[in-house]
Amino acid sequence: MFIATLIAAKPHEDGAENAACELLAAAGCAPQDTRIFGSGHAIDIQFETGPDTARTAFGPFLDSCDLFVQPAAHRVKKLLCSDMDSTMIAAECIDELADYAGLRPEVMAITESTMRGELDFAESLAKRVALLEGLPETTIDECLHERIRAMPGAGTLIATMHALGCFNMLVSGGFHAFADPVAAGLGFNQVFANRLEVRDGRLTGTLLGDIVDARAKADFLAQVLKVRKIDAADSLAIGDGANDIPMLQAAGYGIAYRAKQAARDAADAYIAHGDLTTILLAQGIDEDQWVVIPER
């Protein structure tokens, strides 16, 4: 049994449920039970066969809805693994740091090319970090305070998943100097990220230890699943760029959030309309179960 969930930024219009069922039936997917929830924003439709066919059938809804098609089993996840920059926070930390150094255009150009999958992540990260050589370490705290904000719905997503017994891990190709406070503020259980080298109070332009790249992200997910004895089918990954693709594909369900095309194509689903609480509705978790964290 499969479930298709259509989640709109505003409540569905009257007749949307029937229209969606008609599309599924016409595609031969045999719609069954339905549910409207999430204050009218979400529609669940159970169906028997043809998940790929169902995704195609819902094409007319995609201009206004985010679509999730998944097996009914393992729907509420036990492990959530998320990228940080432009996923849990509304910024790319290295780009913001570069702005303080007067190098934002140069660093952003490399970042964008990397996110599209045009450049090797490890090499591009080394090049960008090298441009930050000499920047005062205190700039990191300034940047955190002035520039770094959680994505809408991030706090509620992580708090709710935690309350439901989910283990939440933040896996970032960015830096521990940002990821640690972001994770603490949002309530993540574990953090994996890169470490900037600092000497005499200034960035040296190099990193300490192995780089957390695309492969490492997927490896960290696999390690935590093994240690915590969680089946991969019970895991969820969230990301927005090419370096998230192995992680998105390794998880039981991969969601690309406001993502570059490469990540959207690789993921099981993508979010283009809603905020991060859409991920709760995608798991069938209605608003009466949410731990709502006020936006700041």
Side-chain angles (χ1 to χ4, degrees):
M1 183 69 69
F2 297 92
I3 296 178
T5 309
L6 289 161
I7 304 172
K10 58 183 181 180
H12 286 282
E13 296 180 356
D14 291 343
E17 181 183 9
N18 288 337
C21 287
E22 289 172 3
L23 289 173
L24 268 186
C29 295
Q32 298 184 2
D33 295 339
T34 64
R35 174 173 71 132
I36 298 177
F37 64 109
S39 298
H41 291 258
I43 300 173
D44 264 357
I45 306 173
Q46 292 188 2
F47 64 100
E48 289 189 351
T49 59
D52 292 336
T53 301
R55 290 186 185 94
T56 302
F58 285 121
F61 278 88
L62 298 186
D63 286 341
S64 59
C65 296
D66 295 316
L67 170 65
F68 302 84
V69 177
Q70 58 195 307
H74 304 280
R75 188 180 184 189
V76 178
K77 303 305 184 185
K78 297 177 182 178
L79 185 145
L80 182 150
C81 179
S82 180
D83 175 45
M84 181 177 71
D85 291 2
S86 299
T87 303
M88 283 292 139
I89 61 172
E92 292 287 330
C93 290
I94 194 166
D95 294 349
E96 299 304 325
L97 276 181
D99 198 26
Y100 286 91
L103 294 167
R104 186 182 183 93
E106 294 91 333
V107 171
M108 280 190 68
I110 301 173
T111 301
E112 285 295 313
S113 185
T114 305
M115 295 294 284
R116 291 192 298 267
E118 298 168 356
L119 289 176
D120 173 77
F121 178 80
E123 181 182 2
S124 74
L125 181 62
K127 287 181 178 179
R128 287 176 287 165
V129 170
L131 292 172
L132 303 179
E133 181 180 0
L135 196 67
E137 183 182 16
T138 55
T139 305
I140 294 173
D141 288 336
E142 292 176 33
C143 189
L144 273 165
H145 178 72
E146 296 174 4
R147 306 282 184 92
I148 305 306
R149 298 290 181 271
M151 280 287 192
T156 296
L157 169 64
I158 300 305
T160 302
M161 294 305 293
H162 179 77
L164 294 173
C166 181
F167 187 86
N168 299 301
M169 52 188 292
L170 190 65
V171 181
S172 176
F175 313 119
H176 269 287
F178 289 93
D180 289 348
V182 167
L186 291 175
F188 279 89
N189 299 101
Q190 194 164 6
V191 185
F192 299 94
N194 295 298
R195 292 195 184 278
L196 292 163
E197 184 181 56
V198 178
R199 189 179 302 140
D200 298 326
R202 292 183 178 274
L203 304 188
T204 66
T206 59
L207 295 167
L208 296 172
D210 295 333
I211 288 179
V212 178
D213 60 7
R215 187 69 261 158
K217 288 187 173 188
D219 288 345
F220 286 134
L221 170 59
Q223 289 170 20
V224 175
L225 286 171
K226 183 177 181 180
V227 168
R228 301 193 67 83
K229 296 180 172 58
I230 297 173
D231 191 287
D234 289 315
S235 66
L236 164 71
I238 313 163
D240 72 303
N243 67 318
D244 297 313
I245 288 174
M247 178 180 75
L248 293 172
Q249 294 179 328
Y253 202 70
I255 297 176
Y257 180 71
R258 306 292 175 91
K260 301 295 187 291
Q261 191 63 49
R264 288 172 55 148
D265 291 344
D268 296 294
Y270 62 86
I271 295 174
H273 303 286
D275 66 18
L276 285 169
T277 61
T278 302
I279 295 170
L280 295 174
L281 296 175
Q283 296 174 84
I285 302 168
D286 208 348
E287 292 172 337
D288 61 355
Q289 294 179 272
W290 293 7
V291 180
V292 177
I293 304 298
E295 304 290 342
R296 293 188 291 177

